[in-house]
């Protein structure tokens, strides 16, 4: 595997808002500071109802994890996980099965510190402080060795993280490195901010994020499609997140209005399908 990057660990920064805690503030979580709550309020004033987009991202994550569980995926690598509260991956998984493993990865030190106690009672999940631009370090970590069996299919989640990776760090090559490390039957979930449908709103959003410790890099939907590489994109294809297998009776949300989050789910190699299994109770 190619070692893509080696950098010092991200330093703690509580002066500027951080993406993990901005997201937590919009989700109504309790792991954020005044600087993030104030920031969220200012964005909401500039883009009324924008909070719905953050909630839509978390709802997309839930639906995709349920989809992967139904396809037999039992181990998950969640890159740029944020703080695992408010319906995060392991909560979704344990509502459906006892048989799952989750490795969360985030590079923001306080996010990891806040997450550790939340996962203390869950032996099937852990969080690693690492930069997702360093796949080899992640796969070689004791946490990954403990939780993930790379001979078996993995559900790789890169939701709302790749728009924090600048072009200079080659996000396309990065995703490809992860894809190469996974066996057939593995699935890739991506959500990403796009300026294609709402360029003005996304420009405003990016201007706000320029003052955070996680500047935003919105991209065109045609570029985001390329992130899936040679994986097979599964129905309904790449879409506005709200349109990806929506819950029945879902009301129109802010994300329908802004249409700034885009993504989908893809699978490695059609000839090595894992059988669809009923999800056991538990
Ligand atoms: C908006 S949150 C997304 C949380 C979760 N993935 C979701 O979709 O619900 C983005 C997270 O990515 C993390 N992040 C940003 N750049 C990263 C990097 N290079 N490596 C690892 N995590 C990163 C941030 O710290 C933040 O917690």
């Amino acid at each position: 595997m190619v070692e893509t990057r080696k950098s010092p660990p991200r330093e703690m920064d509580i002066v500027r808002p951080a993406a993990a805690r901005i997201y937590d503030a919009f989700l109504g979580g309790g792991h954020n500071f005044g600087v993030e709550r104030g920031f969220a309020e200012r964005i909401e004033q500039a883009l009324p109802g924008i909070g719905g987009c953050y909630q839509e991202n978390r709802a997309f994550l839930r639906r995709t994890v349920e989809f992967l569980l139904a396809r037999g995926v039992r181990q998950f690598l969640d890159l740029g996980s944020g703080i695992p509260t408010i319906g995060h991956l392991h909560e979704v998984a344990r509502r459906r099965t006892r048989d799952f493993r989750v490795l969360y990865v985030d590079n923001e030190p306080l996010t990891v510190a806040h997450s550790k106690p939340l996962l203390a009672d869950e032996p099937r999940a852990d969080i690693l402080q690492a930069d997702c631009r360093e796949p080899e370090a992640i796969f070689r970590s004791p946490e990954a060795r403990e939780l993930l069996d790379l001979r078996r299919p993995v559900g790789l989640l890169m939701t709302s993280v790749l728009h924090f990776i600048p072009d200079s760090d080659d996000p396309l090559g990065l995703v490809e490195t992860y894809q190469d490390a996974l066996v057939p039957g593995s699935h890739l979930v991506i959500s990403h901010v796009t300026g294609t449908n709402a360029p003005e709103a996304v420009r405003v959003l990016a201007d706000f994020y320029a003052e955070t410790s996680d500047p935003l890099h919105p991209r065109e939907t045609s570029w985001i499609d390329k992130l899936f590489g040679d994986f097979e994109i599964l129905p309904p294809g790449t879409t506005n997140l709200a349109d990806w297998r929506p819950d029945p009776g879902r009301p129109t949300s802010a994300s329908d209005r802004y249409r700034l989050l885009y993504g989908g789910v893809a699978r490695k190699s059609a000839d090595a399908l894992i059988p669809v299994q009923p999800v056991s109770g538990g």
Side-chain angles (χ1 to χ4, degrees):
M1 185 187 303
V2 180
E3 176 60 71
T4 44
R5 189 170 180 273
K6 201 82 205 135
S7 58
R10 177 169 166 175
E11 288 183 6
M12 196 175 296
D13 178 355
I14 54 169
V15 176
R16 292 180 296 172
R21 291 185 289 281
I22 296 166
Y23 189 51
D24 185 65
F26 273 116
L27 293 182
H31 296 86
N32 52 76
F33 301 128
V35 66
E36 282 94 16
R37 290 191 291 277
F39 182 81
E41 275 167 27
R42 285 193 291 124
I43 306 186
E44 189 65 48
Q45 274 164 15
L47 300 169
I50 192 76
C53 295
Y54 294 78
Q55 284 152 17
E56 191 59 61
N57 185 73
R58 183 48 63 87
F60 170 75
L61 186 148
R62 170 183 54 76
R63 297 196 303 277
T64 57
V65 170
E66 287 169 346
F67 179 73
L68 267 51
L69 285 165
R71 298 181 73 84
V73 177
R74 289 291 178 273
Q75 44 176 0
F76 297 88
L77 175 59
D78 183 4
L79 300 174
S81 56
I83 302 156
T85 62
I86 320 281
H88 215 328
L89 210 167
H90 71 285
E91 294 179 9
V92 177
R94 75 179 166 204
R95 281 202 293 269
R96 282 157 184 80
T97 178
R98 291 196 177 94
D99 172 25
F100 71 88
R101 298 282 183 277
V102 179
L103 179 60
Y104 293 117
V105 175
D106 207 284
N107 69 344
E108 204 280 312
L110 258 182
T111 296
V112 176
H114 279 155
S115 302
K116 283 274 181 195
L118 295 169
L119 299 172
D121 294 335
E122 179 47 88
R124 297 162 293 192
D126 200 357
I127 186 161
L128 169 69
Q129 186 184 339
D131 195 305
C132 69
R133 289 167 287 191
E134 296 177 359
E136 192 180 9
I138 291 170
F139 284 125
R140 289 199 176 154
S141 67
E143 291 86 349
R145 287 170 187 265
E146 170 77 20
L147 282 169
L148 302 179
D149 176 358
L150 294 181
R151 297 165 302 178
R152 308 265 314 142
V154 170
L156 173 64
L157 279 82
M158 302 182 88
T159 54
S160 278
V161 64
L162 289 165
H163 47 232
F164 298 119
I165 307 293
D167 290 348
S168 55
D169 286 337
D170 187 17
L172 286 163
L174 176 66
V175 177
E176 196 180 344
T177 301
Y178 282 103
Q179 288 174 309
D180 289 346
L182 302 180
V183 298
S186 295
H187 289 65
L188 171 64
V189 180
I190 290 176
S191 66
H192 195 297
V193 171
T194 178
T196 302
N197 303 316
E200 182 52 25
V202 168
R203 192 191 56 72
V204 172
L205 193 66
D207 283 351
F208 271 107
Y209 271 80
E211 56 181 274
T212 74
S213 48
D214 297 282
L216 191 63
H217 305 276
R219 296 184 170 105
E220 296 299 313
T221 53
S222 55
W223 186 94
I224 298 167
D225 286 342
K226 289 187 197 150
L227 287 168
F228 293 96
D230 60 5
F231 276 31
E232 178 196 359
I233 297 177
L234 301 176
T238 43
T239 62
N240 179 41
L241 295 197
D243 298 329
W244 194 91
R245 295 176 181 261
D247 293 323
R250 180 189 66 87
T252 303
S253 73
S255 65
D256 295 297
R257 184 157 116 227
Y258 289 112
R259 300 180 71 78
L260 50 70
L261 276 162
Y262 180 83
V265 177
R267 172 187 57 194
K268 183 160 184 169
S269 159
D271 56 352
L273 281 183
I274 45 175
V276 176
Q277 297 170 7
V279 177
S280 60

